[in-house]
Amino acid sequence: MTARTEGPQPFRIAADSTRQRIFIAIGAVVAVASLFILVTSVGSYGEAPWRVWASATGVVVGSACAIIFMRMLPEHRWALEVDERGITDNSSSAAPGLIPWDDIAAVYDWQVRQGHTLAIDLKDPEGLQGRMAPHPAANVRARLAQGIPAVEVRVAAFPGSYTVGEVLDAARAYRPKAVKQPRRWKAPKKR
C-alpha cells in the first residue's frame, strides 16, 4: 500500500452577500404586504383610489427591488481563493478573477500609509488583460499607467479577521518563489 501525499489546502475567503440578502427580504416583504393591501382595497376603489395606486406601486417597487438584488448576489462563492490554479480575486466587479500562477511575477504585502494590501505583479499584463472581461482589464491598465501594482486586494475589507500574511502563507505553500518581501508605497515627488 502506498502512502498518499496531499498538497496544501486551498485558502478561501467567502464572498459576503448579507447586504443583498437583506434588500431581497425587504423587497419581498414590501411586495407581499402591498399585494395584500391591493387585493383588499380593490373593492373600495371609489372610497380610497390612492390606496389601490399606492399598493400597486408598492408591489412593483418591492418586486423590482427583490429581483435587482437577486441579480446582484455574488456569482462566486469565494471572494478570494489561493489554490493550485493560482490566485482568484472575485472581490468586486473590477476584480480580475483567476490569475494563474504562470502569469504571476510576484505576490507581496504592499504597505500604503498604515494599511497593508495584497499586491500582485504580472509577468505579461497585456496577455492577461486580453483574457479578462473589459472592466477588470481597464482597471489593470489604469493601475499600470499610474505605476502601482496591477492587482491589489484589500484583505482587511473581507468579512472575518484575515490578514495579508495569511494569504501570503497560502501562496508560499503553492509557489514559494513568487512571494516577495514587503514593499512600501512611495508618494510621487512634488515638482
Side-chain angles (χ1 to χ4, degrees), residues 30-176:
V30 167
V32 169
S34 297
L35 184 61
F36 176 77
I37 294 168
L38 177 66
V39 169
T40 59
S41 300
V42 171
S44 61
Y45 182 77
E47 298 167 16
W50 61 269
R51 187 182 302 165
V52 173
W53 289 106
S55 57
T57 303
V59 171
V60 171
V61 170
S63 299
C65 179
I67 291 168
I68 288 168
F69 280 97
M70 275 191 241
R71 293 183 54 98
M72 289 176 63
L73 280 171
E75 61 184 71
H76 304 285
R77 184 172 178 194
W78 308 112
L80 182 68
E81 184 173 15
V82 180
D83 60 15
E84 67 278 348
R85 299 172 302 146
I87 298 175
T88 306
D89 176 15
N90 292 318
S91 59
S92 73
S93 61
L98 174 64
I99 306 171
W101 287 115
D102 293 338
D103 291 337
I104 296 175
V107 181
Y108 53 93
D109 178 356
W110 193 43
Q111 300 169 0
V112 181
R113 294 182 180 90
Q114 287 80 27
H116 295 263
T117 62
L118 179 73
I120 302 173
D121 289 338
L122 305 172
K123 291 178 182 174
D124 180 20
E126 290 79 22
L128 187 62
Q129 287 174 47
R131 298 189 307 264
M132 288 181 183
H135 190 178
N139 187 39
V140 168
R141 205 169 19 261
R143 293 181 66 76
L144 292 171
Q146 295 173 32
I148 56 179
V151 178
E152 178 185 3
V153 182
R154 288 174 172 75
V155 177
F158 295 125
S161 56
Y162 298 101
T163 65
V164 172
E166 289 175 292
V167 180
L168 290 173
D169 288 343
R172 194 174 286 112
Y174 289 101
R175 295 289 167 100

